[in-house]
Amino acid sequence: TAQGYTIEHVREFPKGEPEEITFWSKISILKDEQTLFSTEEAELFSGFYVGEVADWIKDAEDLKNRAIVDITGNGIPEVILQGYSGGSHCCHHIYLIELDEPLKFLLNLETGNDGIAFEDLNKDGVMEIETRDDVFTYWNTSFAASPMPEVVLSLKDGKYKANATFMRKPAPTDKEIREMAEAVKSWSSSAGPEVAWKYAIDLIYSGNIVSAKKYIDLAWRENNAGDFNTKDNFWKELKEQIHQSPYYSDLSSYFGL
């Protein structure tokens, strides 16, 4: 129990396997014998020591010690859960539930192929959340070459939202942009370990849309445009893809697209 709530943790093990291996787990929050929250049974759940690597929750004591932490500094603990659906890639689902009366969902978000990490970036006693946007996973390329730009979320009006203040970086010099552009040989998905548009996406997510446009203009290869065919079509498809990001509504003006 915590803050007057009962938190249940149920695990199922594959037949014949040791208890260290969990097939699925389910976590529920109850009060007065009423279930107020329950996860799906198709996920495995890990808890967090803030600042340490997550690991699977093994039992009720483990859950209490590792997944119930006050990260907002207001004296009310949060249940911090990272669900994982299994498989080679994907999917993580983050629940951040404050054990207030009533329960407050500070974050309920599928982060896809990336998990989260906590850090108090501005040293105000409230943790920020660091993750990566996987909206470009398999977008015209392989998983290994897919851009995964950094995103930072902070607490605002009782919810964790993407915050451009923590994401903005200085613009690169024209020399750096030119050197990155000159290294581009092709806009094909199989051009190398990094696709040509990764640098542009990183610039956009760091608040440098002007630099991203300069880079695209210099790096575009009309005779080797890959599946995009034209530069205008590349921008069109990029805008359509980024609109699908779960962070787009928080960052639309910041992106400048």
Side-chain angles (χ1 to χ4, degrees):
T1 61
Q3 298 291 109
Y5 292 95
T6 299
I7 304 171
E8 292 183 347
H9 177 254
V10 179
R11 292 171 33 184
E12 181 175 292
F13 310 101
K15 290 182 179 180
E17 297 289 349
E19 290 194 358
E20 289 76 20
I21 300 175
T22 305
F23 188 69
W24 60 257
S25 57
K26 181 177 181 179
I27 296 173
S28 304
I29 301 177
L30 304 90
K31 191 165 190 177
D32 300 327
E33 299 184 353
Q34 290 189 334
T35 301
L36 305 177
F37 166 79
S38 185
T39 64
E40 298 293 329
E41 296 180 356
E43 296 178 301
L44 290 168
F45 284 91
S46 56
F48 294 86
Y49 288 114
V50 173
E52 296 186 18
V53 177
D55 199 2
W56 306 127
I57 296 170
K58 296 180 176 60
D59 52 37
E61 191 66 21
D62 198 29
L63 186 151
K64 183 177 181 179
N65 292 336
R66 298 176 52 238
I68 302 177
V69 185
D70 177 18
I71 65 165
T72 64
N74 65 356
I76 303 172
E78 288 76 41
V79 178
I80 307 168
L81 302 170
Q82 176 174 266
Y84 176 56
S85 63
S88 299
H89 309 130
C90 215
C91 286
H92 294 88
H93 195 120
I94 310 301
Y95 300 94
L96 211 170
I97 308 166
E98 190 167 77
L99 295 175
D100 202 353
E101 179 61 51
L103 291 176
K104 292 181 180 176
F105 286 79
L106 307 186
L107 185 66
N108 184 352
L109 177 69
E110 186 167 311
T111 56
N113 289 281
D114 200 62
I116 61 172
F118 293 103
E119 188 170 349
D120 185 1
L121 296 172
N122 58 355
K123 310 303 180 186
D124 65 349
V126 181
M127 290 288 181
E128 278 71 51
I129 296 175
E130 299 175 314
T131 187
R132 290 181 178 273
D133 193 350
D134 84 331
V135 74
F136 299 103
T137 302
Y138 293 113
W139 184 62
N140 294 296
T141 191
S142 66
F143 176 81
S146 298
M148 294 275 282
E150 297 176 357
V151 177
V152 179
L153 296 85
S154 67
L155 189 63
K156 182 178 181 181
D157 301 326
K159 299 285 185 181
Y160 271 90
K161 300 179 180 179
N163 189 333
T165 300
F166 296 102
M167 296 168 58
R168 192 178 299 277
K169 297 178 182 178
T173 63
D174 286 345
K175 180 176 181 291
E176 178 184 327
I177 294 171
R178 186 172 60 254
E179 289 175 349
M180 293 295 292
E182 288 173 352
V184 173
K185 300 292 188 292
S186 168
W187 285 76
S188 168
S189 60
S190 58
E194 287 191 356
V195 287
W197 52 90
K198 180 184 183 300
Y199 184 61
I201 288 171
D202 286 342
L203 288 172
I204 292 168
Y205 275 71
S206 65
N208 292 293
I209 183 62
V210 173
S211 296
K213 290 179 177 179
K214 286 181 182 178
Y215 166 74
I216 297 299
D217 286 343
L218 291 170
W220 187 255
R221 303 291 180 258
E222 203 68 54
N223 62 341
N224 208 337
D227 294 333
F228 297 111
N229 297 315
T230 67
K231 183 167 60 174
D232 287 344
N233 191 56
F234 166 79
W235 277 112
K236 176 179 176 291
E237 292 190 21
L238 176 64
K239 290 175 184 178
E240 290 173 351
Q241 193 67 20
I242 206 169
H243 272 68
Q244 297 179 40
S245 167
Y247 312 106
Y248 182 79
S249 61
D250 297 333
L251 299 172
S252 57
S253 59
Y254 168 75
F255 286 146
L257 292 170

